[in-house]
C-alpha cells in the first residue's frame, strides 16, 4: 500500500510553476473569466496599432476639412436678411384698429386681441402710430409726456403685456418717435415759458410784436404763420405744425440728451425700433431770414401755404444727419444680441428732391436709417398707366445708393386710401405690385381688404374703424354703439371675416402674395429687371442666379384691356403659365409670350423655368441690393 503525505513546496518550485503558467497564458487569446493577472498581461501588449493610427489621422483630416468647409461657407455666404427685411411693415392706427372697452376708440388691448390677424397674414413687423400721453390736438403727434401711455389707449402695463405677447408670437413692434416738437402742455414748454434757467431755450423763441406776431414769412405745414405770440413769456415761439406743437431747439445739447434718454427708455422696455417722424423739420436756420417765394410777384401778406415758399431755412438743415446718426449709434448699443436688432426708419416727404431722401440711408462709412420711407407710389392715382408706374419705381431704384435696401409705401394715415383715390379696380394690382417689388412693403391697416375713405370733411377720411366683420360697428366695437369716426357703409361686405371665406378676395390674394414673397428666393432677395412698359402695362422679372424658377409680373394699370407682346425677350419661354391672377378665373392659364392679355386693373404672377438669366445681358435694366447665387445640390446661397 502506497503512503500519501503532504509537503510544502519549496520557493524554487513555486517560482518555476508561476513562470511556466505565465508562459502558457501569454500564448492564448483572452477569454471570459480569465484571471486578472493574465488579462493585464494581455492588455498591455499593443494590438491594431496601424489601423488605430489610420483612424486617428483620418479623424484629424476630417475635422480640418470640416473647419475649412465651414469657413469657406461663412466667407462666401451673403449676409442673412434681418427681420425688418423679411416681412411687410403693417401700420396700425390705434384709435381705429380695435376697441376693447366700448368707449368708441381703439386701444392697446384691442391690438392685443387681434394679434392673430398678423399671423394669419404672415406679417412679422407691426408699426403702431403714437399712443403717448397727449391732449390729442394732432391725434397723438402732440406729445405731453414721452414716457407715459395716454389713458385713452390704456396703461403702461397694457403696453408691456402687448409687447411681451407680440414677442412670444414672433412679432416685432415699431413705435413712432416724434422728435421735432412737443405739446404746449409738456412740462418742458411750461418751464421754458417761465424762463426757467435750464429750460429757457428748449424751444425756438424770438422777439416779436404782440399785435403782429410774425418775425418772418415762415409758414406752418398746416397753413398760416409758423409763429405764435406767447403772453406768458412775451415772445413768439416757432411751430412748423399746429400752434399747440412748439418746435424743440436741437441746437441745445440738453434737448439732444433728453431725446436720447427717451430712446433709451423705450429700448430698455424692449421695443424693436422707431419710425422717426417729420425728421426734415428738426433743425431751422438760426438767422431767421425770410424764405424765398415760389412766386416772387405774390404779395408777401398772401403767403399762407407751405407751397408758397421754398423751404431753404426750415427743412433739411446742416447738422440734421449728425443728429440722426447719433440716434442710430445709440440704437446700435441695444442691437448686439442675436435677433435683437433695433430698426430705424425715417419719414421725410421730399417730393421731387429724391436726392435728399436718399441721404437718410447714410454713407458707406456712417450708417443712418435702415431705409427712409419711400412715398413715391402714393402718386399712383395721378396717372393710370404702366409708364407712370415704371417711372415711380425707377425713380427710387435708380437713385438708391448701391447695396441699400428698397421699400414701398402705398398708403398711410395722412393720405387717401388707394381704393378711393385709384379706385377699387386697381387695389388688387397695387397690392400685387407692392408684394412683388424688391425690398420691404408697408401696408396701412385695411389695405389688405380694400377699405375705402369715409365721407368726412376732416383730415380723417382714411382713418375710419377697421372692418373686422359684418356685425355691429364692423366688429371694431362690439360692446356699445359708439365709434370715434363712422364705419364705412360697405363694411357688411368689405370685412376680414367675409373675405377669409372667399378664395378670390383681396385679403386672400394679399395673403397668398405675401407668403409667396417670403418663401421664394427670387422674390425676396433676387434681381429686379424692367422688361416692358406702355400706356397700360408695367412688366418686370424677378430672378436669382442658380435657380431655374423665375417670376414674371404683368400688371395692367390702364383703363382698358391690353395685349402685351414679350416675344423679344429671348430669356422667356414661348409658353407661360399663370401662377396667380387678380382675376381668379385666369389662374393656371397657359399663355403665349407674344400675346399676354390682361384686363384693366388685372395683374399676373407667372412662374416659369429657364436656364437662361436675363440680368447678365441687360445690366442697365436690372437692380439688386446684394448679389447672391444659389447652389442647388447643396441648397446653398453664396456670394457670386
Amino acid at each position: 500500500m502506497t503512503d500519501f503525505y503532504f509537503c510544502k513546496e519549496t520557493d524554487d518550485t513555486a517560482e518555476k510553476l508561476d513562470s511556466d503558467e505565465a508562459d502558457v497564458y501569454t500564448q492564448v487569446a483572452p477569454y471570459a473569466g480569465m484571471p486578472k493577472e493574465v488579462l493585464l498581461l494581455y492588455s498591455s501588449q499593443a494590438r491594431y496599432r496601424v489601423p488605430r493610427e489610420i483612424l486617428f489621422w483620418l479623424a484629424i483630416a476630417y475635422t480640418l476639412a470640416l473647419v475649412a468647409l465651414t469657413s469657406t461657407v461663412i466667407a462666401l455666404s451673403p449676409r442673412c436678411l434681418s427681420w425688418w427685411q423679411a416681412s411687410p411693415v403693417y401700420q396700425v392706427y390705434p384709435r381705429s384698429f380695435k376697441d376693447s372697452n366700448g368707449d368708441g376708440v381703439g386701444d392697446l388691448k384691442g391690438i392685443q386681441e387681434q394679434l392673430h390677424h398678423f399671423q394669419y397674414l404672415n406679417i412679422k413687423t407691426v408699426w403702431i402710430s403714437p399712443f403717448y400721453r397727449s391732449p390729442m390736438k394732432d391725434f397723438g403727434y402732440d406729445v405731453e409726456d414721452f414716457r407715459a401711455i395716454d389713458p385713452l389707449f390704456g396703461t403702461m402695463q397694457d403696453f408691456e403685456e402687448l409687447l411681451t405677447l407680440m414677442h412670444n408670437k414672433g412679432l416685432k413692434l415699431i413705435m413712432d418717435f416724434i422728435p421735432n416738437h412737443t405739446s404746449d402742455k409738456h412740462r418742458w414748454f411750461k418751464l421754458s415759458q417761465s424762463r426757467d434757467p435750464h429750460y429757457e431755450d428748449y424751444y425756438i423763441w424770438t422777439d416779436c410784436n404782440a399785435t403782429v406776431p410774425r418775425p418772418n414769412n415762415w409758414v406752418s405745414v398746416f397753413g398760416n404763420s409758423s409763429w405764435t405770440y406767447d403772453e406768458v413769456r412775451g415772445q413768439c415761439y416757432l411751430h412748423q405744425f399746429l400752434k399747440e406743437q412748439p418746435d424743440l431747439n436741437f441746437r441745445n445739447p440738453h434737448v439732444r440728451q433728453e431725446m436720447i434718454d427717451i430712446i433709451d427708455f423705450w429700448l430698455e422696455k424692449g421695443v424693436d425700433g422707431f419710425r422717426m417722424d417729420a425728421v426734415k423739420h428738426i433743425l431751422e436756420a438760426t438767422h431767421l431770414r425770410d424764405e424765398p417765394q415760389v412766386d416772387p410777384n405774390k404779395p408777401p401778406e398772401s403767403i399762407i401755404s407751405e407751397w408758397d415758399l421754398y423751404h431753404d431755412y426750415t427743412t433739411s438743415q446742416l447738422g440734421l444727419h449728425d443728429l440722426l446718426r447719433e440716434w442710430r449709434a445709440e440704437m446700435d448699443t441695444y442691437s448686439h444680441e442675436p435677433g435683437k436688432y433695433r430698426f430705424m426708419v425715417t419719414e421725410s416727404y421730399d417730393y421731387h428732391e429724391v436726392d435728399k431722401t436718399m441721404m437718410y440711408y447714410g454713407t458707406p462709412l456712417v450708417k443712418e436709417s435702415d431705409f427712409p420711407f419711400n412715398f413715391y407710389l402714393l402718386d399712383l392715382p395721378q396717372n393710370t398707366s404702366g409708364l407712370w408706374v415704371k417711372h415711380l419705381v425707377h425713380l427710387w431704384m435708380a437713385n438708391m445708393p448701391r447695396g441699400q435696401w428698397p421699400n414701398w409705401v402705398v398708403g398711410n394715415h395722412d393720405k387717401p386710401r388707394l381704393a378711393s383715390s385709384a379706385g377699387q379696380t386697381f387695389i388688387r394690382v397695387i397690392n400685387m405690385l407692392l408684394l412683388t417689388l424688391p425690398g420691404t412693403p408697408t401696408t396701412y391697416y385695411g389695405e389688405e381688404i380694400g377699405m375705402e375713405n369715409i365721407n368726412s370733411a376732416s383730415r380723417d377720411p382714411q382713418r375710419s374703424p377697421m372692418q373686422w366683420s359684418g356685425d355691429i360697428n364692423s366688429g371694431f366695437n362690439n360692446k356699445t354703439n359708439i365709434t370715434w369716426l363712422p364705419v364705412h357703409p360697405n363694411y357688411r361686405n368689405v370685412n376680414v371675416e367675409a373675405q377669409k371665406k372667399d378664395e378670390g378676395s383681396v385679403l386672400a390674394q394679399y395673403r397668398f402674395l405675401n407668403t409667396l414673397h417670403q418663401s421664394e428666393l427670387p422674390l425676396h432677395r433676387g434681381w429686379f429687371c424692367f422688361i416692358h412698359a406702355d400706356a397700360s402695362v408695367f412688366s418686370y422679372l424677378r430672378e436669382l442666379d442658380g435657380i431655374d424658377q423665375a417670376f414674371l409680373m404683368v400688371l395692367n394699370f390702364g383703363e382698358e384691356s391690353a395685349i402685351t407682346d414679350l416675344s423679344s425677350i429671348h430669356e422667356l419661354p414661348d409658353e407661360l403659365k399663370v401662377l396667380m391672377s387678380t382675376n381668379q378665373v385666369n389662374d393656371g392659364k397657359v399663355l403665349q409670350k407674344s400675346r399676354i392679355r390682361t384686363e384693366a386693373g388685372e395683374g399676373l404672377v407667372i412662374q416659369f423655368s429657364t436656364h437662361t438669366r436675363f440680368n447678365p445681358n441687360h445690366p442697365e435694366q436690372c437692380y439688386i441690393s446684394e448679389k447672391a447665387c444659389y447652389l442647388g445640390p447643396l441648397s446653398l446661397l453664396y456670394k457670386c
Side-chain angles (χ1 to χ4, degrees), residues 26-248:
T26 58
Q27 305 303 315
V28 299
Y31 57 88
M34 67 167 30
K36 175 183 176 183
E37 295 80 2
V38 179
L39 181 61
L40 288 173
L41 284 171
Y42 179 79
S43 64
S44 67
Q45 299 178 28
R47 292 290 189 274
Y48 309 109
R49 178 176 295 169
V50 173
R52 287 191 298 179
E53 286 189 2
I54 292 173
L55 289 174
F56 172 76
W57 289 113
L58 281 175
I60 293 295
Y62 175 79
T63 302
L64 292 174
L66 190 61
V67 170
L69 178 61
T70 302
S71 301
T72 302
V73 169
I74 292 172
L76 293 178
S77 295
R79 178 181 56 86
C80 292
L81 295 185
S82 188
W83 56 263
W84 52 271
Q85 298 171 302
S87 157
V89 174
Y90 186 102
Q91 182 188 355
V92 169
Y93 193 68
R95 297 179 69 92
S96 303
F97 198 64
K98 183 67 168 70
D99 175 15
S100 71
N101 59 10
D103 65 355
V105 178
D107 46 48
L108 296 176
K109 282 190 175 294
I111 298 172
Q112 182 174 323
E113 290 176 5
Q114 299 298 328
L115 292 182
H116 59 86
H117 182 61
F118 307 130
Q119 294 178 299
Y120 175 78
L121 292 176
N122 202 20
I123 295 286
K124 298 179 176 65
T125 305
V126 181
W127 155 34
I128 305 179
S129 293
F131 45 82
Y132 304 104
R133 183 185 293 276
S134 167
M136 297 295 165
K137 294 292 185 180
D138 190 18
F139 294 113
Y141 285 94
D142 50 324
V143 180
E144 183 178 344
D145 188 342
F146 285 101
R147 291 179 173 85
I149 307 294
D150 195 279
L152 194 66
F153 301 123
T155 65
M156 185 61 76
Q157 182 178 347
D158 293 337
F159 169 78
E160 291 168 349
E161 288 177 359
L162 172 63
L163 182 60
T164 299
L165 189 57
M166 288 181 67
H167 285 169
N168 289 343
K169 293 180 179 292
L171 300 171
K172 303 291 187 180
L173 189 154
I174 299 171
M175 286 182 62
D176 251 313
F177 184 63
I178 307 164
N180 179 69
H181 49 262
T182 70
S183 165
D184 60 353
K185 305 299 183 187
H186 198 290
R187 181 178 66 91
W188 300 342
F189 188 72
K190 294 181 179 299
L191 291 167
S192 191
Q193 276 181 310
S194 61
R195 296 184 183 268
D196 180 284
H198 181 78
Y199 295 96
E200 186 170 5
D201 65 345
Y202 260 46
Y203 297 84
I204 312 295
W205 296 95
T206 190
D207 292 333
C208 65
N209 188 324
T211 58
V212 187
R214 189 167 176 156
N216 56 32
N217 72 344
W218 296 359
V219 294
S220 157
V221 169
F222 294 134
N224 297 314
S225 176
S226 288
W227 298 96
T228 292
Y229 180 75
D230 180 66
E231 293 183 354
V232 175
R233 179 157 167 153
Q235 284 186 307
C236 282
Y237 63 88
L238 177 70
H239 54 89
Q240 294 205 58
F241 294 88
L242 296 176
K243 65 182 179 62
E244 293 86 0
Q245 294 171 290
D247 276 36
L248 286 163

